[in-house]
Amino acid sequence: MSTDTHLAGLSGTIVHDEIVPARAPWLYHVAKGQTLRIVDLEGNQAVDFLLYSAADDAERYSAQDTVAAQGNLFLRAGTTLLSNEGRPMMTIAASAVDYHDTIGGACSCESNTLRYGHHTKWQHACVENFLEANLWEGRGKRDIVSNINFFMNVPVEADGALGIVDGISAPGLTVDLKAEMDVVVVVSNCPQINNPCNAFNPTPVRMIVAA
Ligand SMILES: [Zn+2]
């Protein structure tokens, strides 16, 4: 019997299990039919997330298509993540957190200086993580599109105003993503320390792939 609570409810054989350190990039190929579980180990850690088709990386996650198709801004259990060609890439099979964000974007050195002052220019940011991970497979700046922020809380007010507020995640909470095609997952374990998206304290996350 496994006493690893992070594996609870995950069926199949574990084919990959890795801790992504705080502030680090991550890239992994998830085959059609496999499930990627992301574990928010210490709670309130934003996991910035991009998806490409493994067969042709010109096909990639589209926030617009996903939001329009489901008629809702939030990503929840049951959401199908669609590509720019309208095809299902992954499905959120289960989520211990009520909803995830796909409109808040990814932090960058440039946006940090604009929002938080020039003294933050040296700080590592999600765009740099995306660039680093994508470079391993020959992708560049033009391949970075609107992303998903798992475990990040971006509420939308009645007047349409957005907030980046304290997270609704907690230690050990998970989200399960079932691949509907062979995909390349690119992640930035968000290094942001200037707003509450990581509770001002970036922490590790765990990536488990089951086949
Ligand atoms: Zn970030």
Side-chain angles (χ1 to χ4, degrees):
M1 280 283 288
S2 170
T3 53
D4 188 341
T5 56
H6 296 157
L7 300 178
L10 190 63
S11 56
T13 308
I14 307 300
V15 295
H16 192 79
D17 189 352
E18 181 177 354
I19 304 283
V20 180
R23 304 176 184 84
W26 187 73
L27 179 149
Y28 193 79
H29 285 238
V30 181
K32 182 178 179 178
Q34 293 182 341
T35 297
L36 167 65
R37 169 170 287 183
I38 308 175
V39 186
D40 185 0
L41 290 172
E42 298 185 28
N44 291 343
Q45 174 58 46
V47 176
D48 288 49
F49 185 100
L50 290 170
L51 270 178
Y52 302 87
S53 163
D56 175 7
D57 63 14
E59 183 172 12
R60 65 273 306 263
Y61 172 69
S62 167
Q64 298 94 317
D65 287 275
T66 299
V67 164
Q70 69 173 9
N72 194 287
L73 278 174
F74 296 125
L75 308 186
R76 291 188 161 94
T79 290
T80 302
L81 308 178
L82 295 179
S83 74
N84 54 337
E85 297 180 21
R87 298 202 301 152
M89 301 190 81
M90 296 186 106
T91 301
I92 301 182
S95 177
V97 178
D98 184 26
Y99 63 87
H100 306 267
D101 166 70
T102 193
I103 47 179
C107 62
S108 69
C109 294
E110 293 77 7
S111 65
N112 279 344
T113 59
L114 200 63
R115 289 173 180 160
Y116 309 114
H118 194 65
H119 67 284
T120 64
K121 179 76 170 83
W122 60 273
Q123 292 174 0
H124 195 52
C126 282
V127 167
E128 284 66 43
N129 274 340
F130 282 155
L131 282 170
E132 180 180 342
N134 266 330
L135 273 172
W136 301 333
E137 296 190 340
R139 286 180 294 273
K141 265 189 174 174
R142 68 180 61 193
D143 299 304
I144 296 179
V145 294
S146 297
N147 62 294
I148 297 168
N149 296 303
F150 285 112
F151 304 113
M152 190 164 115
N153 186 19
V154 182
V156 182
E157 308 298 339
D159 66 354
L162 303 181
I164 294 180
V165 298
D166 203 11
I168 51 175
S169 187
L173 295 190
T174 59
V175 59
D176 290 353
L177 302 154
K178 184 181 178 213
E180 305 293 350
M181 63 169 67
D182 293 346
V183 291
V184 184
V185 173
V186 174
V187 157
S188 167
N189 194 11
C190 182
Q192 184 59 260
I193 53 171
N194 300 291
N195 72 44
C197 73
N198 304 316
F200 301 98
N201 177 35
T203 50
V205 295
R206 182 176 176 186
M207 303 296 198
I208 305 164
V209 180

